[in-house]
Structure formats: C-alpha cells, structure tokens
Amino acid sequence: FEVPESYTGPHKVRAQISSTFYADADFTVEPGLTVSLKKGPVGTNVTVEGHGFAEDEKDIELRYYLDSTNYQTIAENIEADEDGWWKKSFPIPASAKGSHKIDAKGEVSTLSQVKDATFEVAPGISLDKSSGSVGENITMTGNGFYANDTHITILFAGQEVETDIRADAKG
C-alpha cells in the first residue's frame, strides 16, 4: 500500500480481521521532497511538495543548490498542514548544466533529515527576436551550459556562425 499523507514520526500499521484478531507493526514517517518536473532548462517552473514534516511545522525554508555548497533560498516561512504537507512553485534559477539538489528545513526538521529532491538543468537558448532580414544582427542568450565552458558554437541552419563562445560560472 502507499503510505498516506502523514506527519513525521512513528505510526501504527495494523492488519485486522476483527477487533480481537489483528497484527501491528511500527512505521516511521520521515520528511522528504518531491518535484513536479525532473529536468528542463533554466526558468522551468517546478512545484516542490514537502511530505512528512512535523504536524503544522512552521518556518520551513526551501533551498535550491547552485553547486555542492552554494544555494539560493527559494522561499521562507512556509507552513506545513496538520499532515506535515506543503507545496511551493518557483522558476529554476540561473545555474549550470547538471543535477541540482533541492532541500528544505524547518523549526523541527533539519536539512539532514529531509530526503532531497533533484532537478537536472539542461541547456536552453532564447533569441531577442523570432524573425528578421538577412544581414541583421540577433542576440542569442544561453543558459544551463557547463560552468565556464569555452567550446560553445552557434549554428544557423546547420552552419557555424560563431565559435569559441564562453559560458559564465552559472553556465
């Protein structure tokens, strides 16, 4: 069976035939995160759900990790409901290609107790205009590439038009 929404801590699981004939086992709910989308470019709107936090837990902080140690606080003062559940939506911030940890902590739940979620940043581009004449300059903006990558090439209709473009530290 799927564990229903429940606040953190021990819960009794029971199989019974009658009020006098049953078997019990203990199950401990731990806090964790799920993310609506697992992969996409910078700017992708995702929804993170927190499950198994303390009953009515307050001061929950949601973090998105830019790398293994640096993070951006996405939201603060989130409050879980009586089942320890909450959700928050946000666009993925500028970050390099690869897997990024999403974590949370609250007044009861610590970072190390919360099962993390991850989001895989994929490269994306945008153009400052979608049409124009031959010989006109257009600006392309890229994100989600490897940090400080120096081997980016721009192709137009399969032909190289710019080479050796460098990404910044955020890709």
Side-chain angles (χ1 to χ4, degrees):
F1 68 94
E2 185 175 302
V3 176
E5 285 296 337
S6 304
Y7 56 85
T8 195
H11 296 270
K12 188 71 67 190
V13 179
R14 174 175 280 182
Q16 73 181 45
I17 295 174
S18 68
S19 62
T20 58
F21 188 71
Y22 58 87
D24 286 337
D26 292 324
F27 183 83
T28 301
V29 171
E30 298 172 345
L33 304 175
T34 58
V35 64
S36 61
L37 296 172
K38 304 274 187 207
K39 183 178 183 178
V42 167
T44 299
N45 199 45
V46 298
T47 300
V48 174
E49 293 185 5
H51 304 273
F53 281 71
E55 183 178 12
D56 299 316
E57 185 168 353
K58 296 176 181 18
D59 296 326
I60 298 169
E61 176 185 298
L62 179 61
R63 296 178 175 185
Y64 175 85
Y65 282 77
L66 302 168
D67 55 37
S68 62
T69 55
N70 297 307
Y71 65 89
Q72 181 174 335
T73 300
I74 298 301
E76 297 177 293
N77 301 316
I78 301 168
E79 188 172 330
D81 68 9
E82 65 276 359
D83 290 326
W85 179 88
W86 56 268
K87 81 176 180 179
K88 184 70 179 170
S89 296
F90 67 96
I92 295 296
S95 45
K97 179 177 174 23
S99 182
H100 295 268
K101 178 172 78 169
I102 300 171
D103 204 353
K105 67 178 186 124
E107 66 181 2
V108 176
S109 305
T110 65
L111 289 170
S112 63
Q113 291 172 325
V114 177
K115 182 181 176 200
D116 306 332
T118 58
F119 183 83
E120 181 82 20
V121 172
I125 60 169
S126 63
L127 303 175
D128 68 339
K129 48 184 131 180
S130 60
S131 63
S133 300
V134 171
E136 198 172 329
N137 282 324
I138 59 172
T139 300
M140 177 194 297
T141 303
N143 58 51
F145 288 80
Y146 290 115
N148 303 310
D149 193 344
T150 59
H151 297 80
I152 300 170
T153 299
I154 297 175
L155 305 170
F156 182 88
Q159 291 186 299
E160 289 184 4
V161 291
E162 293 284 333
T163 60
D164 297 325
I165 297 168
R166 182 184 181 108
D168 67 12
K170 292 184 179 179

